[in-house]
Amino acid sequence: MSVSEAPGAFSKSIKPLAAALLALLLCCFFPARPALALSTGDLQSTAVVLMDADTGQVLFQKQMDQKHKPASITKVMTCLLALEKGDLSDSLTMSYDAVFDVPRDSSNVALDVDEELSLKDALYGLMLESANEAANGIAEYISGSMTDFAKLMTKRAKELGAKNTNFANANGLEDKEHYATAYDMAMITREAVKQPGFLTVVGTTRYDMEPTNKQKDIRNFNNKNKMIYANNSFYYEGILGGKTGYTSAAKN
């Protein structure tokens, strides 16, 4: 997922914005620009929606209501709920379950059991490095358990008009009951960009997490969204930020 507006306008109003969900749920926000002559045949993506973030009007779509595995784009909802219900200065403590509920070869920032960190640090780990254990820690901080947080995610999604989505976890790892659509993820992200701090987090290229009670060294988080880095072929001028996602089942 990537968010953008006209070049040089980062500190100004983010309106108007548009949202697109690309490939197997790669959700992107783009600025208003001259209309392109697009057709579904031009796209490799399985499901796409281009949405005006002000009004929710769908400007272009391809199979936008088709259910897919959202992978780590799930974390847009995790971040949204954290910003809605939490305080960035609050401290959370990583439980055994939060740390070891995810495969060790999946995306993580090496958080340890009983490690204490701020919600702010957890969100940067979540959205820049796609840290799965950070997602679990946030879930327990907000709802008391990962299961209850997943229920809250689905409930909030439906409130936002995401009717064909069901979340089984906070990180997007494989679960047969975990799915979303291009349209639903656009609606969720449309709400997320309204939250103070969301665009700041997803638009950050690098973040340094200070030492904790379990780690004496500074952790360096680097954004995985190549669209925000000017010196590469994926760069999109005017981008504000985003969230990528990949699993072997969901693909990109």
Side-chain angles (χ1 to χ4, degrees):
M1 178 207 74
S2 297
V3 185
S4 59
E5 67 177 343
F10 184 90
S11 62
K12 301 177 182 178
S13 168
I14 64 169
K15 303 175 181 179
L17 293 173
L21 195 78
L22 306 177
L24 291 181
L25 297 178
L26 172 61
C27 185
C28 300
F29 273 77
F30 297 100
R33 292 188 176 181
L36 300 176
L38 289 177
S39 73
T40 56
D42 296 328
L43 303 171
Q44 296 181 21
S45 309
T46 302
V48 174
V49 63
L50 181 68
M51 177 183 289
D52 184 289
D54 264 347
T55 66
Q57 179 184 1
V58 173
L59 307 174
F60 179 86
Q61 66 93 12
K62 173 186 174 182
Q63 300 186 103
M64 69 177 185
D65 293 319
Q66 188 178 82
K67 293 178 182 177
H68 289 286
K69 301 173 186 298
S72 284
I73 293 171
T74 296
K75 292 168 177 137
V76 174
M77 175 56 89
T78 303
C79 184
L80 170 60
L81 286 173
L83 292 171
E84 286 183 335
K85 297 183 176 297
D87 187 309
L88 293 181
S89 64
D90 282 356
S91 177
L92 59 89
T93 302
M94 298 297 297
S95 71
Y96 179 91
D97 288 342
V99 172
F100 289 102
D101 187 61
V102 299
R104 297 315 294 166
D105 61 351
S106 69
S107 298
N108 69 86
V109 290
L111 296 175
D112 200 358
V113 178
D114 294 328
E115 185 162 6
E116 299 171 4
L117 67 158
S118 69
L119 179 60
K120 178 181 178 181
D121 286 342
L123 284 179
Y124 275 97
L126 177 83
M127 299 304 281
L128 271 62
E129 291 286 353
S130 206
N132 292 313
E133 85 279 36
N136 289 344
I138 291 168
E140 291 184 338
Y141 157 77
I142 296 293
S143 295
S145 75
M146 291 180 280
T147 300
D148 285 346
F149 186 76
K151 293 177 181 177
L152 177 63
M153 294 170 75
T154 301
K155 177 177 181 291
R156 185 70 177 110
K158 293 186 184 306
E159 291 172 353
L160 297 173
K163 305 300 185 184
N164 296 303
T165 288
N166 190 76
F167 292 115
N169 56 60
N171 47 48
L173 290 173
E174 181 65 21
D175 189 295
K176 64 180 180 179
E177 297 302 323
H178 194 88
Y179 54 83
T181 70
Y183 176 82
D184 285 0
M185 286 307 306
M187 291 296 286
I188 291 166
T189 312
R190 179 187 174 209
E191 184 67 21
V193 299
K194 299 176 185 177
Q195 289 297 315
F198 180 82
L199 289 175
T200 300
V201 173
V202 299
T204 297
T205 56
R206 177 188 171 99
Y207 178 81
D208 294 333
M209 178 178 164
E210 294 299 318
T212 69
N213 61 318
K214 291 286 187 173
Q215 172 59 265
K216 66 178 182 178
D217 298 321
I218 291 176
R219 290 182 176 96
N220 307 125
F221 301 159
N222 296 292
N223 202 317
K224 296 296 187 287
N225 180 14
K226 295 180 180 180
M227 294 177 75
I228 68 174
Y229 294 97
N231 297 323
N232 77 87
S233 61
F234 295 99
Y235 177 65
Y236 188 89
E237 187 177 15
I239 212 78
L240 291 180
K243 182 72 194 79
T244 59
Y246 175 86
T247 66
S248 58
K251 306 305 179 185
N252 289 301

